């Protein structure tokens, strides 16, 4: 699954705000019209990329 840099950046911003995972997922569903599995994949991608940097 591939995500745009905008989507990855937004997921990182939400994670940095230290929101609960469920709240982040709901915001991503609303913002990008994702399904829950897509949200989890996006968050895992965003956080893995951030740790690698």
């Amino acid at each position: 699954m591939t995500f745009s840099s905008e989507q990855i950046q937004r997921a990182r911003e939400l994670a940095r705000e230290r929101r609960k995972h469920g709240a982040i997922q709901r915001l991503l569903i609303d913002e990008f019209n994702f399904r829950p599995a897509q949200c989890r994949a996006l968050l895992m991608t965003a956080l893995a990329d951030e740790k690698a940097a």
Side-chain angles (χ1 to χ4, degrees):
M1 201 174 295
T2 57
F3 301 103
S4 71
S5 59
E6 174 191 351
Q7 293 168 330
I8 292 172
Q9 182 61 33
R10 182 66 178 139
R12 283 184 189 146
E13 289 170 5
L14 293 172
R16 277 192 208 114
E17 292 174 7
R18 302 206 185 268
R19 295 177 182 260
K20 292 183 180 176
H21 179 76
I24 294 170
Q25 188 168 307
R26 283 190 299 279
L27 288 169
L28 293 173
I29 287 170
D30 291 343
E31 196 165 323
F32 297 118
N33 198 28
F34 280 168
R35 291 186 302 271
Q38 290 172 302
C39 293
R40 287 189 295 274
L42 173 58
L43 283 169
M44 289 181 356
T45 300
L47 297 176
D49 286 350
E50 190 171 84
K51 284 184 181 182

